[in-house]
Structures are given as structure tokens and as C-alpha cells.
Amino acid sequence: MKFSAESQDFDKQLKRRVTKEPIIWFFTPKVFDDKNFTGKFNDSNFNLSSNTYFSSLKAIRIKGIYKRKSENLYSIEYDVELSKGTKIFYFLGIFSFVFVMNFMIYKQRQTFEIFPNCIFLFFNVFILFVFSLSKRNIKKNFEKEFELKNIV
């Protein structure tokens, strides 16, 4: 879902509040400084994540574009989403786990069991719920940190 907002001196805020992301962020998830966000940006685009100890939260990205409307006012369009690599990893992991689990159960009992699949489905729905809460929290932190005024 795309969001639109306005901000004063957004380019200066990016330079002041975003630290450069390490090359291999999964193994070095926290950059130790006062900045709450890490990532890359240029004169019109940005791709940020939370500067946190938890590498799973670094997979939630804030991507967007910004352009100058007037001297100090910027128009910003951004989206908060999971990175492509994380989506692929979770899809392949879930698919592989369900396939292997069902194959092992079928090999032993010669029938498919519903209960383990329901537990696994509940677990995945819970993970999606936690990610949606995390996305909402990161979005709020981004809006607060960069003083964004949402456009309806």
C-alpha cells in the first residue's frame, strides 16, 4: 500500500537521521550510532530499514521517492513492505517444511494428517500478524522521526 506525505527539508533529514547500511546486513544487523534508520538514498529515492538488533525487523523495508514541491517542502510517496529476498525465503521455507512434514507423516501412517497442518497454518498466520504489527510500528516511527504530514 502506497502512502503519500509532505515534509519540511526531507533531504536534510535523511542525511541527518539515516546511517549507511552494512554490505551484509543480516550478519551485522545493528549500526551503533544514534540514528534509528539505516539504508540507502539519493536525490530522489530512498530505501530504508530500522536500525535494530533484530535481523528479522531489518527485512521490513521503507521504499519511496521524494521530490521538491517548493523551497523547503517535499512530496513523499513511500511503501512499507517485506524485502523480496525475505518473501522468497519464507515462501520456499514454508513450502519445503509442509512438503517434508507431510511426506514423513504419510510414509509412517499411509494417510495425511490434518492436525499438524492446522498447527502449522496457525503458526504462519501468527507470524503474518506479528509482521503486520511490526510494519505498522516501523511506519509510525518513520512518520514521527521525519515529521511527515499525511496527505489524504
Side-chain angles (χ1 to χ4, degrees):
M1 177 180 213
K2 293 254 183 209
F3 301 100
S4 297
E6 291 181 343
S7 178
Q8 296 287 330
D9 297 324
F10 187 73
D11 58 342
K12 292 177 186 171
Q13 290 184 32
L14 277 173
K15 291 174 186 169
R16 191 172 58 239
R17 298 180 179 178
V18 175
T19 186
K20 288 198 173 205
E21 190 168 49
I23 294 173
I24 305 174
W25 61 264
F26 190 79
F27 298 115
T28 57
K30 174 74 172 166
V31 178
F32 294 97
D33 59 10
D34 297 355
K35 301 175 180 178
N36 289 333
F37 291 95
T38 182
K40 299 176 184 173
F41 59 91
N42 58 26
D43 293 338
S44 61
N45 300 322
F46 59 92
N47 184 354
L48 310 175
S49 67
S50 219
N51 189 11
T52 181
Y53 291 105
F54 303 107
S55 57
S56 60
L57 291 180
K58 301 261 306 170
I60 299 174
R61 309 298 290 180
I62 302 170
K63 295 181 181 181
I65 59 172
Y66 63 98
K67 39 190 161 174
R68 185 184 299 261
K69 285 179 86 173
S70 66
E71 187 174 325
N72 291 334
L73 190 64
Y74 285 84
S75 172
I76 303 143
E77 290 186 17
Y78 64 98
D79 195 10
V80 182
E81 61 186 17
L82 284 175
S83 66
K84 290 178 186 176
T86 304
K87 289 177 186 176
I88 293 169
F89 175 75
Y90 285 142
F91 176 75
L92 291 177
I94 289 170
F95 181 75
S96 301
F97 184 79
V98 168
F99 180 75
V100 168
M101 185 178 70
N102 281 320
F103 179 74
M104 289 172 35
I105 291 172
Y106 184 76
K107 189 175 178 183
Q108 287 180 348
R109 299 188 181 171
Q110 300 298 318
T111 61
F112 285 107
E113 296 291 328
I114 299 292
F115 184 70
N117 289 321
C118 289
I119 290 174
F120 190 68
L121 179 66
F122 174 76
F123 178 70
N124 285 311
V125 168
F126 177 73
I127 288 174
L128 288 174
F129 176 71
V130 168
F131 267 120
S132 67
L133 289 178
S134 299
K135 283 172 60 173
R136 186 181 315 158
N137 189 27
I138 289 173
K139 178 184 176 288
K140 284 181 184 178
N141 288 344
F142 177 69
E143 290 172 348
K144 180 181 169 188
E145 185 82 20
F146 289 94
E147 302 165 0
L148 299 181
K149 297 173 189 86
N150 287 331
I151 300 172
V152 179

